[in-house]
Amino acid sequence: MLLTDLRTIFERDPAARNWLEVLFCYPGLQALVFHRLAHWLYKIGIPFIPRFISHISRFLTGIEIHPGALIGQGVFIDHGMGVVIGETAIVGDHALIYQGVTLGGTGKESGKRHPTLGSHVVVGAGAKVLGNIQIGDRVRIGAGSVVLRDVPSNTTVVGIPGRVTRQNNSSTNVLDHDKVRDVEAEVIRALFERVKALEKQFEQLQQSSFSPTEFDNEPTDNPKSKNSDGIIEDFLDGAGI
């Protein structure tokens, strides 16, 4: 498993130059080594020691992984400072986690209370994935997003709260931060266009010789209006409103 983790680092990080540098200077790899030992002791029921190992790991690497968390093979925690992974979290194989990520809970509930990530998931810097939710395979979560609901496989999620902005991820780049949609800006633009259209209709009503009743009976099917309706509805649906 350690060899798989090392190969993953060389595949995904162009700054990785040699094995010695990776072993001694990559806190993400070191945190995973500590965690695998702590997790093994945790599974066989050893008290205190697993949590103490986790505490030492956090002190040395800045990455906090509860001994109970289940981490797959080939996981890469890039930089990693401030990463927190809760007790019942599950991280699938070949996931990529950037600094400041939290895989946490939403309260003091018992049982499974942390997220489950599928394989080949990418979680951008500062993203928060909270609660007992399912993140499908090959999902990309944009930097700074807050994900509170299940996410289907092969999608991209951005925003607060996180909304699906792309289906069937096909890009070969890992996250494509420069191509992530700004859904809030799209909705604001759609609303702006709607306001301009209403203002134009109002001006036409003031200047028209038709009565208000006749004006209301005129056809109002506007492709742009229908398109903005869809954008706004998708935005509100994504927030659960």
Side-chain angles (χ1 to χ4, degrees):
M1 192 169 286
L2 176 60
L3 290 175
T4 302
D5 293 339
L6 285 168
R7 291 193 193 99
T8 301
I9 291 174
F10 278 98
E11 290 171 1
R12 294 191 169 186
D13 188 0
R17 294 180 176 83
N18 58 71
W19 298 94
L20 195 63
E21 182 179 288
V22 171
L23 282 172
F24 288 94
C25 302
Y26 274 61
L29 177 64
Q30 295 166 353
L32 288 175
V33 172
F34 277 111
H35 171 73
R36 300 201 193 284
L37 173 60
H39 182 68
W40 178 73
L41 295 173
Y42 180 88
K43 285 199 302 181
I44 64 177
I46 301 296
F48 176 70
I49 295 177
R51 289 301 302 271
F52 187 63
I53 293 173
S54 173
H55 184 72
I56 293 174
S57 175
R58 182 180 67 172
F59 177 77
L60 295 175
T61 67
I63 299 169
E64 181 176 346
I65 308 176
H66 192 283
L70 184 60
I71 309 294
Q73 63 179 357
V75 172
F76 180 25
I77 302 177
D78 195 4
H79 298 290
M81 180 62 70
V83 167
V84 178
I85 300 178
E87 179 182 10
T88 61
I90 299 174
V91 179
D93 296 339
H94 304 288
L96 173 57
I97 298 174
Y98 286 95
Q99 68 272 18
V101 166
T102 299
L103 306 181
T106 56
K108 296 183 178 180
E109 65 273 14
S110 58
K112 184 73 169 71
R113 59 190 185 278
H114 299 105
T116 297
L117 274 59
S119 61
H120 299 278
V121 171
V122 178
V123 188
K128 313 300 177 187
V129 186
L130 306 176
N132 181 20
I133 58 177
Q134 300 287 325
I135 307 299
D137 297 335
R138 294 172 295 280
V139 168
R140 296 169 184 167
I141 300 174
S145 301
V146 178
V147 183
L148 302 172
R149 300 197 300 172
D150 292 349
V151 178
S153 298
N154 303 302
T155 56
T156 297
V157 178
V158 297
I160 303 175
R163 297 175 175 85
V164 174
T165 62
R166 184 188 298 169
Q167 301 280 351
N168 300 320
N169 287 327
S170 58
S171 173
T172 56
N173 203 346
V174 173
L175 190 55
D176 281 339
H177 286 284
D178 59 326
K179 297 179 182 177
V180 173
R181 287 174 55 197
D182 186 345
V183 289
E184 286 85 358
E186 289 180 10
V187 171
I188 292 172
R189 175 167 290 279
L191 292 172
F192 178 65
E193 295 295 336
R194 177 65 57 82
V195 170
K196 289 200 300 183
L198 291 173
E199 288 177 343
K200 185 176 181 180
Q201 289 182 10
F202 182 73
E203 291 175 359
Q204 290 175 347
L205 180 62
Q206 285 183 318
Q207 298 172 4
S208 175
S209 59
F210 297 111
S211 67
T213 303
E214 292 173 329
F215 185 83
D216 290 341
N217 290 332
E218 290 184 351
T220 58
D221 290 338
N222 187 336
K224 288 186 177 180
S225 176
K226 290 182 178 180
N227 184 48
S228 65
D229 284 344
I231 293 174
I232 296 169
E233 288 174 4
D234 287 345
F235 179 81
L236 297 178
D237 289 342
I241 299 176

